[in-house]
Amino acid sequence: QVQLVESGGGLVQPGESLRLSCTAAGNVFSPYIMGWYRQAPGNQRELVARISKNDLTWYSDSVKDRFTISRDNAKNTVYLQMDSLKPEDTAVYFCNKVILSWPWGQGTRVTVSS
């Protein structure tokens, strides 16, 4: 059983930064395209960044040039560096395999207050 665990969220001011981490017990990330998703109350869950096993990356227009996804296979961890945070980035952030997702974890909450 894969157990996804996200961490690193918190309350920050606009313009500040956070670094999110995602790890798992039960399986390894290395063969898969991994993604970061976010969901705000009343909103759809949206994919904001993804990274392939060969470190090819993609970002949604809303976070491009501000967020950076990376992975460390030795640590079985995927990261999301979030810079220049905006109030509209406020959401619960989740990680998961992009193709054929595992059960969702609890996510980590990011609140950007002005």
Side-chain angles (χ1 to χ4, degrees), residues 6-22 36-41 43 46 48 63 66-67 79-95 106-114:
E6 301 92 348
S7 62
L11 173 64
V12 297
Q13 300 286 330
E16 294 185 334
S17 298
L18 284 171
R19 179 176 161 92
L20 308 184
S21 298
C22 170
W36 280 99
Y37 302 77
R38 68 186 182 188
Q39 186 170 26
N43 292 1
E46 62 171 338
V48 299
V63 309
R66 299 188 298 117
F67 291 9
Y79 303 96
L80 186 67
Q81 177 68 42
M82 305 186 296
D83 297 322
S84 302
L85 282 162
K86 303 175 179 180
E88 51 263 45
D89 296 319
T90 296
V92 178
Y93 284 73
F94 303 87
C95 65
Q106 295 300 303
T108 185
R109 184 175 298 276
V110 172
T111 303
V112 186
S113 62
S114 58

Side-chain angles (χ1 to χ4, degrees), residues 27-98:
N27 216 331
V28 297
F29 296 154
S30 57
Y32 308 114
I33 302 171
M34 297 296 297
W36 280 99
Y37 302 77
R38 68 186 182 188
Q39 186 170 26
N43 292 1
Q44 300 283 332
R45 180 188 287 130
E46 62 171 338
L47 179 68
V48 299
R50 65 177 184 239
I51 184 167
S52 76
K53 64 180 181 180
N54 297 315
D55 290 340
L56 298 175
T57 59
W58 172 92
Y59 302 92
S60 69
D61 289 340
S62 61
V63 309
K64 186 179 286 290
D65 299 324
R66 299 188 298 117
F67 291 9
T68 303
I69 188 171
S70 62
R71 66 196 303 162
D72 186 336
N73 291 333
K75 297 180 179 179
N76 200 39
T77 302
V78 180
Y79 303 96
L80 186 67
Q81 177 68 42
M82 305 186 296
D83 297 322
S84 302
L85 282 162
K86 303 175 179 180
E88 51 263 45
D89 296 319
T90 296
V92 178
Y93 284 73
F94 303 87
C95 65
N96 214 327
K97 184 159 58 77
V98 171

